[in-house]
Amino acid sequence: MVWNAWGIPSGHAPLPEQIRALLAQVFGVSGEPVARRDEGDVPLRDSALTAERLAELSSVVGADRVSIDHRDRLLHAGGKSTLDLLRRRADGPQDAPDAVVFPADHDEVLAVLARCAAARIAVVPFGGGTSVVGGVDPARGEFEAVVAVDLRRLDTLVEVDPVSHTATLGAGLTGPRAEALLGAHGLSLGHFPQSFEFASIGGFAATRSSGQASAGYGRFDDMIQRLRVATPSGTVELGRAPASAAGPDLRELFAGSEGTLGIVTEVTLRVHPIPETVAYQAWSFPDFATGADALRTVVQTGAAPTVLRLSDEAETGLNLARAGDIGGAPVTGCLAVTTFEGTAAHVRARAAEAGDLLAAAGGTALGEQPARDWEHGRFRAPYLRDALLDVGILCETLETATNWSNLSALKAAVTTALTESLTAQGTPALVMCHISHTYPTGASLYFTVVAKQADDPLDQWLRAKRAASEAILAGGGTITHHHAVGADHRPWLGAEIGEIGVRVLRAVKQAIDPVGILNPGKLIP
Amino acid sequence: MVWNAWGIPSGHAPLPEQIRALLAQVFGVSGEPVARRDEGDVPLRDSALTAERLAELSSVVGADRVSIDHRDRLLHAGGKSTLDLLRRRADGPQDAPDAVVFPADHDEVLAVLARCAAARIAVVPFGGGTSVVGGVDPARGEFEAVVAVDLRRLDTLVEVDPVSHTATLGAGLTGPRAEALLGAHGLSLGHFPQSFEFASIGGFAATRSSGQASAGYGRFDDMIQRLRVATPSGTVELGRAPASAAGPDLRELFAGSEGTLGIVTEVTLRVHPIPETVAYQAWSFPDFATGADALRTVVQTGAAPTVLRLSDEAETGLNLARAGDIGGAPVTGCLAVTTFEGTAAHVRARAAEAGDLLAAAGGTALGEQPARDWEHGRFRAPYLRDALLDVGILCETLETATNWSNLSALKAAVTTALTESLTAQGTPALVMCHISHTYPTGASLYFTVVAKQADDPLDQWLRAKRAASEAILAGGGTITHHHAVGADHRPWLGAEIGEIGVRVLRAVKQAIDPVGILNPGKLIP
């Protein structure tokens, strides 16, 4: 990925004319993009690692696998939240890790951790670098130096069990690379978060990622059968069977541990055959509440599609995510997208049952095209965010989840918190929302916020985010459904898990990482 | 439950004549039951609690809720493993807790724990008392006294959310009572382990129970949305949403913690409407491997029934579980049972898809009756075990789980270990097996072992169990799929979760229960 924006250069595109016109009308923004800095022009503070320390790290991974190169450091300077991107666009020096280390395998990761613990060097595990919560910030904590441990060389399909539908994947594999390797065996993982093109298998596990096909294939944590983790205390291998009653499920401590307890190096995952058939069906609902009830009925009946999502009126109207790529006729009301994957018989039966339920619940079938359009453009939104930031528009997302009975109230509370905060700051906002992950007992809410940038857009967003986070916790939601905690949600984790929960996390950290080198300032309050 | 056998007196029945004839033929056992001791004749060691300590406990829960009554102590003297039942049948004094405490609610449980921590009294949480792994043994650990904390008074349906399909249940509710309370709201939990009639909601959570409808409704840990736990350090409340990425899932530390980290007092669970329709279909497969492959295909296609199980040739032939109650025509090959629950449309679609797959995989449809017979007799097997023990037959079960590709090899290895161990002891065994819990990546294996009792049947079974446990771990299975760890599986937990896993459990225990009063000798190596 480029250092100061999402994705690869060929993905970047100027704002479509109709969006620029809308921005001018709603926010009074002219739409002329500001130039981004060239990476060579960005000053970094000098690496704090001595030649001796660098030699120690080189002795573990080889001299050509320890880099203090300007570009390597800049590319590991953080994730891709709007705060990150605003910081990259700001003048002045950028913070960055003091070196980037590229271990070859699990044993080298172990050795790097042992060396860093002995030398008191902080370690930030680095997969795809797509964190939107400050999860890969190069924080030094109490230490004088920090290295990013980039896992890209752990990129093999270690093992496939075609009978059991499991595969063991290296932590550094990106989504597309994992799918390609599995595809050669006729298999697929089916994990498609918006970060899919760049994020890594290890990152998915460490952050409890959830993909757009979660209704069909589950969250990433549901797919994990076995984890291999390198820690400063040695190797952890957990998960001997599809299910077990052998005490607490310690996999669930490492899933979501965000690099604070160890570095995930291999994950054994549930996979499935590349589907024989994929069916698409889009729906329109007169309003969000009706649509949400319809989705609920489908999930609670056990007829869930592979993809099941619903945009609210504002998102459907603006159709923001698609507008960059696709024209397409506007959909009135609220757009819902369903897809069905599997054997022909399974897809036929499931689509018929779900379709009957959605129609009975007030849905109007729109045919395949809007669902295919959604799928075609589904990884584009982060590029659009960059184009908006470039023209002086603030654009960010946040997400939560709650029970069905609380969904509308929480949606209203978060929307109010965001709009009130931004209006009070003199920058009225457009707040859109969709449901993209459904469960029998509830669903996620994913908000997109668009406003004119204030003079200090970092402070502007921090205030709005704080208001939203308080509204989420007061309103009974979780502080994050799939973005993870990182640095940005850390102030609210104590409210989520309680004082004893925090004490437990600290005790586990102390037992595994007594020096405290792993990802300082993240997750654990 | 009665003190020295499973269940209630009205459930006890002598062995049917055809079983007695079979036992005489196979094992040379005459079939005359030995008399069981009357509970009044059983000496217990004196309660180690002083009047002062009893007064302290009484000050928390009331004097009439602290019992050192002979019968109360005897009824809390342990669980219902075959080892337990053999110990109850042995002469001599029985071990028992020094008192039984009956707190009224969460706050009283908290106060009891605080008082016991201050006074250094061990605490065994006690729900239904159905543990088959020594999970409620009245072990004192390093302390001079132990109390059983019986949760039966935490027996309310605290809250129902009919929209979200969740319900909050008191930990002391038994399976039937929970179903009755939910049934008044048109809801059901659908958790039917063999212990259903007596075991409790809190026990299901603390042991990661799995019920016979797990293919449809999931394991009990899958159903848990929120846990409330009383600990010596205070209250833990975990689970704010249907799913979350807010760090490690700490619910998964308390699920399966078997009373070593706290006492579960309330559980918020996913429930579902009482099904409109239930369909039954039994199948015969020519052999176990063919049947297992058929089950695998159904689960991996996403067409899983609500109940999905397969008995091997030996179990099908003996039809042990049903023989006590039902005649019925013998089924050749391997019997599989499927049931389908839900709306009429859902059941119709699912049964058709699964039926097509099972037939294509070599199954012969047997109609409804064998499936209904199985359901009718499904809670009877433990009573049959008592009748067998009474006539000098050893009968016990054990279970594991593994991936589909390893299932036949593990089944063979465990069967061999059991038969070789018992044959070497001069008591050749009949070993039967079934699959009762299926997942996309694998399944459980549940073994029933029948042999003539040796002179020291406790030692006889401990040897056989050790051989089976070693075979399970060497063969890649989990030491327990749904029976939990307790005291009996504790020697093998270290091999299951590794040295760092054990260190993590100890660190968590130390953080929450620093005095170490909670359920000594269980779970944590």
Side-chain angles (χ1 to χ4, degrees):
Chain A
M1 287 214 281
V2 297
W3 75 282
N4 57 356
W6 184 260
I8 52 176
S10 63
H12 298 146
L15 283 178
E17 189 47 49
Q18 66 271 34
I19 298 249
R20 292 176 64 156
L22 192 67
L23 294 175
Q25 184 191 332
V26 176
F27 297 116
V29 167
S30 71
E32 277 312 305
V34 294
R36 296 180 197 160
R37 278 195 292 179
D38 187 80
E39 66 186 35
D41 298 338
V42 180
L44 295 181
R45 70 171 228 173
D46 291 340
S47 171
L49 285 170
T50 60
E52 187 190 355
R53 291 294 182 227
L54 291 169
E56 285 174 13
L57 291 169
S58 296
S59 74
V60 174
V61 295
D64 56 339
R65 303 301 186 174
V66 179
S67 174
I68 54 167
D69 173 72
H70 179 90
R71 182 156 190 271
D72 278 336
R73 291 178 65 205
L74 198 55
L75 286 171
H76 294 80
K80 300 293 180 188
S81 71
T82 293
L83 295 175
D84 290 323
L85 300 175
L86 290 168
R87 286 187 199 107
R88 302 282 190 290
R89 282 160 166 79
D91 293 333
Q94 296 280 322
D95 199 10
D98 296 298
V100 185
V101 182
F102 299 89
D105 54 25
H106 176 86
D107 289 343
E108 285 195 3
V109 177
L110 263 187
V112 167
L113 290 177
R115 190 67 64 149
C116 288
R120 297 182 55 80
I121 299 168
V123 170
V124 177
F126 202 97
T130 59
S131 172
V132 291
V133 292
V136 291
D137 285 357
R140 286 164 187 77
E142 59 183 298
F143 307 102
E144 285 180 15
V146 58
V147 297
V149 174
D150 187 306
L151 299 159
R152 67 182 61 192
R153 294 173 68 204
L154 283 71
D155 63 351
T156 54
L157 174 55
V158 180
E159 200 177 353
V160 174
D161 181 342
V163 173
S164 308
H165 289 184
T166 62
T168 302
L169 296 164
L173 285 167
T174 63
R177 188 72 192 128
E179 286 293 341
L181 289 171
L182 290 169
H185 295 265
L187 298 169
S188 168
L189 182 56
H191 184 68
F192 301 111
Q194 202 165 59
S195 61
F196 167 75
E197 296 174 294
F198 305 101
S200 68
I201 293 294
F204 295 147
T207 60
R208 296 186 175 273
S209 175
S210 191
Q212 293 161 349
S214 67
Y217 301 121
R219 301 166 57 82
F220 196 81
D221 43 21
D222 293 334
M223 301 177 184
I224 297 173
Q225 176 151 335
R226 186 170 181 82
L227 281 176
R228 191 169 195 216
V229 188
T231 83
S233 299
T235 296
V236 176
E237 292 187 304
L238 291 166
R240 288 181 66 87
S244 173
D249 189 345
L250 298 180
R251 289 175 302 187
E252 301 285 352
L253 270 183
F254 290 92
S257 62
E258 304 186 20
T260 64
L261 302 180
I263 297 183
V264 175
T265 59
E266 273 178 27
V267 191
T268 302
L269 294 158
R270 165 169 48 79
V271 296
H272 57 270
I274 294 171
E276 260 177 51
T277 305
V278 183
Y280 298 82
Q281 180 61 267
W283 296 81
S284 167
F285 289 91
D287 54 64
F288 184 78
T290 303
D293 267 354
L295 266 57
R296 176 173 66 83
T297 301
V298 168
V299 178
Q300 290 181 340
T301 304
T306 307
V307 169
L308 180 61
R309 50 193 294 132
L310 173 74
S311 295
D312 74 356
E313 294 85 346
E315 187 173 290
T316 303
L318 194 60
N319 215 345
L320 186 69
R322 302 200 295 131
D325 303 279
I326 305 157
V331 173
T332 57
C334 290
L335 173 68
V337 168
T338 63
T339 76
F340 301 84
E341 298 185 3
T343 64
H346 185 69
V347 166
R348 195 165 49 239
R350 190 62 72 96
E353 187 183 355
D356 288 348
L357 291 167
L358 292 169
T364 303
L366 300 177
E368 290 190 2
Q369 200 54 47
R372 287 186 182 272
D373 291 348
W374 165 79
E375 188 182 68
H376 177 73
R378 64 181 170 165
F379 302 130
R380 298 287 311 156
Y383 287 110
L384 181 59
R385 178 181 56 162
D386 276 309
L388 290 167
L389 291 176
D390 284 345
V391 299
I393 294 291
L394 182 77
C395 176
E396 184 54 307
T397 64
L398 58 85
E399 33 77 73
T400 182
T402 192
N403 280 9
W404 288 112
S405 62
N406 190 43
L407 204 68
S408 288
L410 185 61
K411 179 176 185 285
V414 175
T415 303
T416 299
L418 286 165
T419 51
E420 286 186 355
S421 170
L422 288 162
T423 301
Q425 296 183 61
T427 53
L430 177 63
V431 179
M432 297 163 280
C433 185
H434 66 246
I435 294 172
S436 45
H437 306 269
T438 54
Y439 307 90
T441 59
S444 68
L445 291 169
Y446 190 94
F447 297 89
T448 303
V449 186
V450 181
K452 187 175 173 179
Q453 286 179 26
D455 292 341
D456 182 348
L458 279 153
D459 182 67
Q460 176 193 16
W461 178 246
L462 284 170
R463 286 166 187 257
K465 172 78 176 178
R466 197 177 306 127
S469 299
E470 301 295 345
I472 284 171
L473 286 176
T478 177
I479 192 64
T480 174
H481 170 268
H482 59 273
H483 280 175
V485 178
D488 296 358
H489 289 139
R490 191 176 174 228
W492 291 280
L493 189 65
E496 176 109 13
I497 63 173
E499 187 263 329
I500 297 177
V502 173
R503 197 189 307 175
V504 165
L505 289 184
R506 287 184 185 147
V508 173
K509 168 106 176 154
Q510 176 67 28
I512 298 176
D513 175 26
V515 184
I517 57 168
L518 277 164
N519 220 4
K522 320 294 159 48
L523 182 64
I524 304 173
Chain B
M1 287 215 281
V2 298
W3 75 282
N4 56 356
W6 184 260
I8 52 177
S10 63
H12 298 145
L15 282 179
E17 189 47 49
Q18 66 270 35
I19 299 250
R20 291 175 65 155
L22 191 66
L23 294 174
Q25 184 192 330
V26 176
F27 298 115
V29 167
S30 71
E32 276 314 303
V34 295
R36 295 182 196 159
R37 279 195 292 180
D38 188 79
E39 67 186 33
D41 297 338
V42 180
L44 294 180
R45 70 171 228 175
D46 290 341
S47 172
L49 285 169
T50 60
E52 188 190 353
R53 292 293 182 227
L54 291 170
E56 285 174 11
L57 291 168
S58 296
S59 74
V60 174
V61 295
D64 56 340
R65 304 300 188 177
V66 179
S67 175
I68 52 167
D69 174 73
H70 179 89
R71 182 157 191 272
D72 278 334
R73 290 178 65 204
L74 198 55
L75 286 171
H76 294 80
K80 298 294 177 188
S81 69
T82 292
L83 294 175
D84 290 324
L85 300 174
L86 289 168
R87 285 188 199 108
R88 303 282 189 290
R89 283 161 165 79
D91 293 335
Q94 297 280 323
D95 199 11
D98 296 298
V100 185
V101 182
F102 298 89
D105 54 25
H106 175 87
D107 289 344
E108 285 196 4
V109 177
L110 262 187
V112 167
L113 290 178
R115 190 65 66 149
C116 288
R120 298 182 53 81
I121 299 169
V123 170
V124 177
F126 202 98
T130 61
S131 173
V132 289
V133 292
V136 292
D137 284 357
R140 288 162 186 79
E142 59 183 301
F143 308 103
E144 285 181 14
V146 59
V147 296
V149 175
D150 187 307
L151 299 160
R152 68 181 59 191
R153 294 172 69 204
L154 283 71
D155 63 351
T156 54
L157 173 55
V158 180
E159 200 176 353
V160 174
D161 181 342
V163 173
S164 308
H165 288 183
T166 63
T168 302
L169 296 164
L173 285 167
T174 62
R177 188 70 192 128
E179 286 292 341
L181 290 170
L182 291 169
H185 296 267
L187 298 169
S188 169
L189 182 57
H191 183 68
F192 301 111
Q194 201 165 61
S195 61
F196 168 76
E197 296 174 295
F198 305 100
S200 68
I201 294 293
F204 294 147
T207 59
R208 296 186 175 272
S209 175
S210 191
Q212 293 161 348
S214 68
Y217 300 122
R219 300 164 59 81
F220 197 80
D221 43 22
D222 293 334
M223 301 178 184
I224 297 173
Q225 177 151 339
R226 189 172 179 81
L227 281 175
R228 191 169 195 215
V229 187
T231 82
S233 298
T235 296
V236 175
E237 291 186 306
L238 292 166
R240 289 180 67 87
S244 173
D249 189 346
L250 299 179
R251 290 175 303 188
E252 300 286 352
L253 269 183
F254 290 92
S257 62
E258 304 186 22
T260 64
L261 302 179
I263 297 183
V264 174
T265 59
E266 273 179 27
V267 191
T268 302
L269 294 158
R270 165 167 49 78
V271 296
H272 58 268
I274 293 170
E276 258 178 52
T277 305
V278 182
Y280 298 82
Q281 180 63 265
W283 297 82
S284 168
F285 289 92
D287 54 63
F288 185 77
T290 303
D293 267 354
L295 267 57
R296 177 173 66 83
T297 300
V298 169
V299 178
Q300 290 183 339
T301 305
T306 307
V307 169
L308 179 61
R309 51 191 292 132
L310 172 74
S311 295
D312 74 356
E313 294 84 347
E315 187 172 290
T316 302
L318 195 61
N319 216 344
L320 186 72
R322 303 198 295 131
D325 303 280
I326 305 157
V331 173
T332 58
C334 291
L335 173 68
V337 168
T338 65
T339 77
F340 301 84
E341 296 185 4
T343 63
H346 185 69
V347 166
R348 196 164 49 238
R350 190 61 73 97
E353 188 184 355
D356 288 348
L357 291 167
L358 292 171
T364 304
L366 300 177
E368 290 190 1
Q369 200 55 46
R372 288 186 182 273
D373 290 349
W374 165 79
E375 188 181 70
H376 177 73
R378 63 180 170 165
F379 302 130
R380 297 289 310 156
Y383 287 110
L384 181 59
R385 177 181 56 161
D386 276 310
L388 289 168
L389 291 177
D390 285 345
V391 298
I393 294 290
L394 181 77
C395 176
E396 183 56 306
T397 63
L398 57 85
E399 31 77 74
T400 181
T402 192
N403 281 10
W404 289 112
S405 62
N406 190 43
L407 203 68
S408 288
L410 185 62
K411 178 176 186 286
V414 175
T415 302
T416 299
L418 287 165
T419 50
E420 286 188 353
S421 170
L422 288 162
T423 300
Q425 296 184 62
T427 53
L430 176 64
V431 179
M432 297 163 278
C433 185
H434 66 246
I435 294 172
S436 45
H437 306 270
T438 55
Y439 307 89
T441 59
S444 67
L445 290 169
Y446 190 94
F447 298 89
T448 302
V449 186
V450 181
K452 186 175 173 180
Q453 286 178 27
D455 291 343
D456 182 348
L458 279 153
D459 182 65
Q460 176 193 18
W461 178 245
L462 283 170
R463 286 166 187 256
K465 171 79 176 177
R466 197 176 307 125
S469 298
E470 300 296 344
I472 285 170
L473 286 176
T478 176
I479 192 64
T480 173
H481 170 267
H482 60 273
H483 280 174
V485 177
D488 295 358
H489 289 140
R490 191 176 174 229
W492 291 279
L493 189 64
E496 175 110 11
I497 64 174
E499 187 263 328
I500 297 178
V502 173
R503 197 189 306 177
V504 165
L505 288 183
R506 288 185 184 144
V508 173
K509 168 105 175 154
Q510 176 65 27
I512 297 175
D513 175 26
V515 184
I517 57 167
L518 277 163
N519 219 7
K522 319 296 159 47
L523 182 63
I524 304 174

